[in-house]
Amino acid sequence: MQKLLSYLFLTGSSALGALALDDVPDYFVTDRKHFAGPKATGIAPFLRATNPAPFPGVSYIPNSPLETQVPIAGNDHNENIFELFGHLSHYFPNPEGFGVDEHSLPTGAQITWVNMLSRHGARYPTLGSAAFAFADKVKNLTGTFEAKDELKFLNDWIFTLGYEILVPIGKQELFESGTLHYYQYGHLYPNDGNKIIARSTTQDRMVESAEYFLAGFFGLGWTQNATLEVIIEKPGYNNSLAGYFLCPNGNKPAARQGDHASAQWIASYLADATERLDAKIQGFNWTIADSYAAQTLCAYETVALGYSAFCGLFTLDEWKGHEYSIDLAFTGNNMFQSPVGRATGIGYVQEILSRLTHHHLQEPTGQVNITLDNNTVTFPLNQSLNLDFSHDTNIAHILTAFGLTQFASPILPTDHIPPLDERPLIVSHLTPFAARLDIEVISAPSPVCQSRSECTYETNAFGKPKDQPTQYIHFILNQRTIPLGRSFAECGERDDGWCELGTFLDVQKDSLERAEFEYSCFGEYDSVPYGNIKDGVPLKKETEREYRPDEQIEL
Ligand SMILES: *[C@@H]1O[C@H](CO)[C@@H](O)[C@H](O)[C@H]1NC(C)=O
Ligand SMILES: *[C@@H]1O[C@H](CO)[C@@H](O)[C@H](O)[C@H]1NC(C)=O
Ligand SMILES: *[C@@H]1O[C@H](CO)[C@@H](O)[C@H](O)[C@H]1NC(C)=O
Ligand SMILES: *[C@@H]1O[C@H](CO)[C@@H](O)[C@H](O)[C@H]1NC(C)=O
Ligand SMILES: *[C@@H]1O[C@H](CO)[C@@H](O)[C@H](O)[C@H]1NC(C)=O
Ligand SMILES: *[C@@H]1O[C@H](CO)[C@@H](O)[C@H](O)[C@H]1NC(C)=O
Ligand SMILES: *[C@@H]1O[C@H](CO)[C@@H](O)[C@H](O)[C@H]1NC(C)=O
């Protein structure tokens, strides 16, 4: 610790993030060389040459930078299929909201604190993605199959993507998010010469995402304003930003029922497409799995290369089906229908509560690394601007661990897409690439009316009494408010979705216990079919199970 403190003192405002001195403790070394994970870059894009636009019958709109004008069968109302890729969607603000409208701050109220949790930006496929098996099959059979019509391109298609690391638009997403956050919250940066600590993980795309964000927020000289702390991301290590690495049960069948639910739905919504495409290719035996991989390749190639010929192969309904397949996977694997739904995100929730109450965690808690969290050098408690970076499923687990049950029910059926008001979660609205959860604390000089329409302009949206300063907490995910009253009755049905801070902290008191970290992540329990688990923890007794037939389809 002595060494560290003198190091921080000596380096002052120099570029800490870029140095790799022997003296620097591992958690401040951001050279992307230790625990960076596997990585490979793909070919350089050449969109000017590969872009088939202008498309017949579509009025020309220049690409910006991605080519998203691809004609889609059945798309009569000009819907954007590029927003139907679930967690593989290029960032876009949630277009529907989460159930309430947005409201401006009442006069005299102040935002005093913010905690941002960001996902990394658009990336190449992760190793193990279905895209690789498909690429392998095409490669093996190239020269022996013959494709025609819209599938003709496959005759000379080769897989040119890398894996795991950010693609160019992913860097832009984070830079833009940093810029946006500077506009929103720049005032919260303490202009006292003290650097803030921002946290990410050691993985290549995680470090890089944080760096692009910070460059967007502060400018290229960001190392004068923030020190980037990277937490080791590797199985068995404690890391609240990648909680699944300390939750072995997460990889067992009991916690993968979302995959089965999704596979069941995939077999149905892609049946027609599979038959249609199989008829266009001789000597290949096009399968459901091939159709699904082709859909993911549309998403991956678009962000990596700017355009993908795979996108035009599917109808609008098939793209809607694709989005829904991802919703099923997330709810069953990572949220309220998963036995590790709460446990995997609980460490981060405890860190937020620790920051909000200005108390260090005193003992090992969930997947928190207590060595890092038990001191102000690596876990400062008084920052008004907190910036953390994480992953899609981890963010989904964190929403679950908070107990945001508005995302829990009704349970998504596996045989049809229900109407919008019966879809508690849509992954492209929760964790697209570069998703961001902003948690604000708002200080008001007196209580703010629960129903904003009842507040007059004269009262400045304040109810009575007018002499009672009140603090609120406000959750904003992808630029739209999550109404806390929907999940926590104690917060009240406020128009603005806020919750009184004290009430919120009270509600969260039992969140750790409810997550059942030990049992959920390390205990022994049966795998129950999708749909039986409703609260993000394992079932207690066999009688809780309502058996559902669950045809398990391998993809
Ligand atoms: C492609 O060929 C290799 C080598 O023969 C084989 O190991 C692999 O399983 C094949 N992949 C597919 C998807 O058919
Ligand atoms: C970052 O820190 C430098 C050096 O203290 C300061 O001049 C600059 O204003 C800070 N940037 C922002 C955006 O506050
Ligand atoms: C906690 O973090 C420190 C600093 O990076 C690291 O040395 C240690 O191995 C971590 N412990 C666990 C259990 O992850
Ligand atoms: C396609 O399936 C048929 C029937 O099962 C089989 O005879 C043929 O070898 C398969 N072709 C390929 C390329 O796998
Ligand atoms: C955390 O720090 C406090 C105060 O320095 C100390 O008493 C406690 O033992 C520490 N706990 C852990 C788990 O390191
Ligand atoms: C890592 O987490 C486990 C489980 O909570 C805990 O037993 C262990 O002490 C933690 N280690 C550190 C360094 O935080
Ligand atoms: C936070 O605490 C540290 C250490 O106690 C102090 O140096 C720093 O000025 C404080 N920052 C703010 C914004 O209060």
Side-chain angles (χ1 to χ4, degrees), residues 4-320:
L4 167 59
L5 290 175
S6 63
Y7 173 77
L8 286 173
F9 176 73
L10 287 170
T11 52
S13 66
S14 76
L16 185 56
L19 296 178
L21 303 181
D22 288 348
D23 268 10
V24 184
D26 66 298
Y27 43 82
F28 286 150
V29 177
T30 56
D31 60 2
R32 296 197 255 139
K33 287 187 181 138
H34 70 302
F35 302 108
K39 58 175 169 174
T41 194
I43 60 157
F46 203 0
L47 185 55
R48 181 67 195 92
T50 58
N51 190 351
F55 298 96
V58 178
S59 44
Y60 180 73
I61 300 174
N63 55 302
S64 60
L66 308 180
E67 180 51 75
T68 58
Q69 303 299 308
V70 187
I72 299 297
N75 194 5
D76 302 330
H77 302 287
N78 209 16
E79 292 182 57
N80 187 351
I81 65 149
F82 296 87
E83 297 179 352
L84 298 174
F85 299 164
H87 63 313
L88 302 183
S89 304
H90 166 46
Y91 178 74
F92 65 108
N94 171 358
E96 309 283 347
F98 293 107
V100 284
D101 294 330
E102 306 306 316
H103 292 270
S104 58
L105 276 192
T107 312
Q110 306 253 6
I111 294 170
T112 55
W113 183 91
V114 73
N115 186 101
M116 179 202 69
L117 177 65
S118 171
R119 186 189 176 200
H120 59 74
R123 53 158 170 77
Y124 286 123
T126 44
L127 284 175
S129 147
F132 290 101
F134 176 80
D136 229 28
K137 178 172 173 183
V138 173
K139 192 174 164 200
N140 284 359
L141 296 175
T142 290
T144 69
F145 70 80
E146 167 117 34
K148 61 177 183 183
D149 302 339
E150 69 268 29
L151 209 49
K152 197 161 191 277
F153 75 93
L154 207 61
N155 292 330
D156 358 80
W157 177 81
I158 46 170
F159 182 81
T160 56
L161 308 181
Y163 46 84
E164 301 277 347
I165 56 177
L166 294 185
V167 294
I169 196 100
K171 302 170 187 181
Q172 183 187 344
E173 285 168 342
L174 267 295
F175 185 83
E176 280 185 358
S177 178
T179 307
L180 173 76
H181 278 86
Y182 187 70
Y183 278 111
Q184 301 282 65
Y185 301 112
H187 189 77
L188 292 179
Y189 174 68
N191 227 345
D192 59 2
N194 277 324
K195 294 201 222 180
I196 58 164
I197 293 281
R199 302 186 311 161
S200 189
T201 82
T202 52
Q203 221 184 46
D204 190 284
R205 68 175 175 273
M206 295 301 303
V207 178
E208 199 172 31
S209 290
E211 290 173 339
Y212 274 103
F213 179 96
L214 293 168
F217 195 101
F218 293 108
L220 291 176
W222 65 265
T223 52
Q224 300 182 357
N225 309 98
T227 300
L228 184 55
E229 173 178 326
V230 290
I231 308 174
I232 298 170
E233 176 162 0
K234 200 178 157 65
Y237 281 87
N238 296 28
N239 189 338
S240 59
L241 303 174
Y244 32 82
F245 282 139
L246 200 66
C247 192
N249 281 351
N251 295 320
K252 294 194 180 152
R256 305 305 303 181
Q257 291 300 323
D259 292 345
H260 293 304
S262 188
Q264 224 173 335
W265 167 243
I266 290 168
S268 117
Y269 88 84
L270 281 176
D272 285 355
T274 301
E275 202 173 304
R276 186 174 72 235
L277 294 170
D278 190 46
K280 308 266 180 184
I281 186 165
Q282 296 280 311
F284 193 89
N285 294 346
W286 186 278
T287 63
I288 294 269
D290 295 331
S291 295
Y292 198 74
Q295 288 195 309
T296 66
L297 274 163
C298 155
Y300 286 127
E301 286 192 336
T302 300
V303 292
L305 305 172
Y307 166 77
S308 172
F310 288 103
C311 303
L313 296 179
F314 301 93
T315 66
L316 181 65
D317 281 346
E318 288 157 359
W319 283 115
K320 290 182 173 171

Side-chain angles (χ1 to χ4, degrees), residues 332-345:
N333 297 340
N334 314 109
M335 297 188 75
F336 285 95
Q337 271 79 62
S338 161
V340 298
R342 284 178 183 254
T344 310

Side-chain angles (χ1 to χ4, degrees), residues 508-542:
Q508 292 299 326
K509 270 198 181 118
D510 66 349
S511 59
L512 180 59
E513 202 181 320
R514 290 190 71 163
E516 301 176 37
F517 173 71
E518 278 296 325
Y519 180 56
S520 166
C521 285
F522 302 93
E524 279 194 27
Y525 46 85
D526 287 344
S527 180
V528 295
Y530 169 79
N532 282 288
I533 291 175
K534 301 188 173 77
D535 195 35
V537 289
L539 293 187
K540 295 301 150 327
K541 32 188 199 304
E542 193 59 15

Side-chain angles (χ1 to χ4, degrees), residues 313-515:
L313 296 179
F314 301 93
T315 66
L316 181 65
D317 281 346
E318 288 157 359
W319 283 115
K320 290 182 173 171
H322 185 74
E323 172 175 71
Y324 190 65
S325 75
I326 297 164
D327 301 343
L328 284 167
F330 268 65
T331 198
N333 297 340
N334 314 109
M335 297 188 75
F336 285 95
Q337 271 79 62
S338 161
V340 298
R342 284 178 183 254
T344 310
I346 195 59
Y348 190 78
V349 168
Q350 297 308 307
E351 288 181 333
I352 297 301
L353 300 177
S354 161
R355 283 174 177 163
L356 281 169
T357 57
H358 308 286
H359 281 99
H360 277 127
L361 294 168
Q362 293 300 314
E363 50 192 50
T365 307
Q367 44 289 107
V368 158
N369 182 325
I370 198 71
T371 313
L372 292 173
D373 279 21
N374 195 22
N375 67 79
T376 46
V377 175
T378 44
F379 198 80
L381 292 174
N382 61 356
Q383 287 186 177
S384 48
L385 176 64
N386 298 278
L387 308 170
D388 290 330
F389 298 83
S390 181
H391 293 272
D392 52 356
T393 55
N394 205 57
I395 295 172
H397 283 292
I398 288 163
L399 298 172
T400 310
F402 269 119
L404 294 170
T405 52
Q406 85 164 83
F407 302 121
S409 63
I411 288 174
L412 301 178
T414 57
D415 60 352
H416 69 282
I417 307 179
L420 207 52
D421 61 355
E422 291 167 32
R423 294 175 67 185
L425 73 147
I426 295 177
V427 173
S428 33
H429 300 175
L430 297 183
T431 58
F433 288 128
R436 65 294 301 255
L437 172 65
D438 294 304
I439 304 177
E440 300 174 340
V441 171
I442 298 164
S443 285
S446 20
V448 177
C449 291
Q450 177 152 327
S451 165
R452 292 292 188 99
S453 58
E454 283 169 17
C455 299
T456 59
Y457 177 76
E458 288 71 28
T459 64
N460 290 327
F462 295 120
K464 285 166 189 164
K466 291 204 83 178
D467 53 357
Q468 209 180 300
T470 308
Q471 283 191 303
Y472 295 92
I473 192 161
H474 180 202
F475 275 51
I476 306 160
L477 181 56
N478 303 326
Q479 303 175 255
R480 294 304 303 267
T481 294
I482 298 179
L484 295 171
R486 279 282 177 93
S487 302
F488 313 121
E490 297 89 333
C491 298
E493 281 191 40
R494 299 186 57 88
D495 285 354
D496 53 22
W498 303 357
C499 185
E500 239 185 81
L501 181 58
T503 307
F504 179 80
L505 291 174
D506 254 7
V507 166
Q508 292 299 326
K509 270 198 181 118
D510 66 349
S511 59
L512 180 59
E513 202 181 320
R514 290 190 71 163

